[in-house]
Amino acid sequence: MSRYYYINSQKQQAGPVEIPELMAAGLRPDTMVWCEGMANWTRADNVPELAKELVAAPAAPTIPGVQPPATDNNDNTGYTTEDSSEMKPAKPANMLWLCILTTACCCMPLGIVSIIYATKVDSAYNVGNYQEAEDNAKKARLFAIIGAVAGFIGIILYTIIMVLAEL
Amino acid sequence: MLKERIMLPLLLIAAAGAAVFYYIVNPADSQLMPHCILKVITGVDCPACGSQRAMHALLHGHLAAALRYNLFMLYSVPYLIAVLWGYSRLLPGGAFMRRTAHSRTAMLTYIALFTAWWIIRNIIGI
């Protein structure tokens, strides 16, 4: 078993130690480690035998004095992952624009149903129920699209009928 | 972002095209203009009825006439713009619009006003 050098919470080099000792020292996936035979220092989760240990003991205690990366959730209605934390999936899109457009151009029952589902996306997402948020978002998108397509087809059909009536 | 760089100009071109179209054509003159299916079938005014005529009037500078055709547009059109704005990652204020216009409160307000307007306009005939 290799003996590892690592960078401790005081940002000082420590070791060499065996893996059990390393784990006891509170190894985290982003702890920098090195052992003989390695070209350079690397993150612990890049070393297969350490990554295995990290998976086996995921709840390693946090190193005192080292803050976990802050998660910035100011923009909690974001639709992409760019400003949400890693653990949080992006909020599913609800096609709100299409709902407003369909309700503002007729075929509103379906547009309104869609907006109701869209509001449920928000409530589910905000309490962390991502699966339910996604299900509601799917329904919101479905009704928005059906509403828009039905409205469009209805208008086209009516226009065709009027054209035929004029002939 | 690339998507937005394409979508935004397309949207503006579509809006400009619609504006030119509704400036030239008077929807009240033609049977061939899109008609509200709900109104055709039931005779009930839907919340959007009159928007095309209102748009035509507005583009000709007749603000009062536009509001008589459809008062609800005073709220629905700016709200639609705010919602669209909220999808933007490039325009300033995009994040603000996401927090406000896309919020649950804003959506519920829209549903409430939409329904209220629908009932009221059919009762008092506006």
Side-chain angles (χ1 to χ4, degrees):
Chain A
M1 199 180 260
S2 321
R3 289 164 66 82
Y4 285 89
Y5 290 90
Y6 65 100
I7 303 295
N8 68 16
S9 55
Q10 276 81 45
K11 303 215 183 320
Q12 309 234 307
Q13 185 179 320
V17 293
E18 303 264 351
I19 288 179
E21 229 180 307
L22 193 58
M23 297 309 295
L27 185 76
R28 289 153 47 94
D30 57 354
T31 306
M32 296 304 283
V33 296
W34 181 83
C35 77
E36 249 173 79
M38 283 169 60
N40 223 325
W41 287 82
T42 183
R43 286 168 56 107
D45 55 359
N46 287 337
V47 183
E49 66 174 344
L50 293 182
K52 213 164 58 198
E53 291 291 327
L54 283 166
V55 172
T62 326
I63 301 171
V66 176
Q67 294 293 317
T71 53
D72 177 21
N73 284 327
N74 287 339
D75 184 18
N76 62 4
T77 54
Y79 288 94
T80 72
T81 49
E82 74 184 48
D83 41 22
S84 47
S85 73
E86 254 179 82
M87 300 305 291
K88 208 170 167 184
K91 184 157 115 178
N94 54 25
M95 287 202 159
L96 183 59
W97 66 276
L98 192 59
C99 306
I100 309 295
L101 199 62
T102 38
T103 51
C105 306
C106 276
C107 218
M108 57 284 154
L110 293 171
I112 288 296
V113 171
S114 175
I115 302 177
I116 290 170
Y117 279 116
T119 62
K120 289 184 178 169
V121 174
D122 270 42
S123 19
Y125 185 82
N126 290 340
V127 299
N129 200 340
Y130 304 124
Q131 186 54 47
E132 195 188 321
E134 181 56 49
D135 291 345
N136 283 315
K138 265 192 199 128
K139 285 185 193 135
R141 292 195 293 264
L142 180 73
F143 282 110
I145 292 171
I146 295 177
V149 170
F152 188 70
I153 291 175
I155 287 167
I156 298 290
L157 277 180
Y158 179 79
T159 308
I160 291 173
I161 291 168
M162 292 314 289
V163 171
L164 293 177
E166 302 245 327
L167 291 178
Chain B
M1 291 310 121
L2 180 66
K3 205 173 145 201
E4 189 177 340
R5 281 183 208 288
I6 298 166
M7 288 304 288
L8 191 60
L10 280 182
L11 193 64
L12 292 177
I13 291 168
V20 171
F21 180 80
Y22 282 109
Y23 180 84
I24 296 170
V25 179
N26 183 354
D29 286 347
S30 174
Q31 277 298 307
L32 297 183
M33 289 297 284
H35 277 64
C36 176
I37 302 304
L38 186 89
K39 173 132 182 159
V40 169
I41 296 172
T42 65
V44 173
D45 270 339
C46 88
C49 281
S51 351
Q52 296 182 90
R53 282 162 287 166
M55 200 58 84
H56 180 76
L58 188 66
L59 290 167
H60 284 266
H62 308 312
L63 184 63
L67 293 181
R68 267 200 309 281
Y69 282 126
N70 192 316
L71 195 60
F72 188 62
M73 289 181 83
L74 209 57
Y75 163 64
S76 65
V77 171
Y79 182 55
L80 177 61
I81 292 170
V83 166
L84 288 172
W85 200 309
Y87 286 102
S88 174
R89 297 261 154 202
L90 298 178
L91 297 176
F96 174 75
M97 291 300 183
R98 264 196 298 291
R99 276 197 303 277
T100 54
H102 291 204
S103 72
R104 198 178 125 79
T105 316
M107 289 189 230
L108 291 174
T109 307
Y110 181 81
I111 296 175
L113 288 179
F114 180 91
T115 314
W117 158 248
W118 191 4
I119 295 168
I120 291 168
R121 82 173 304 179
N122 279 291
I123 291 175
I124 63 173
I126 52 172

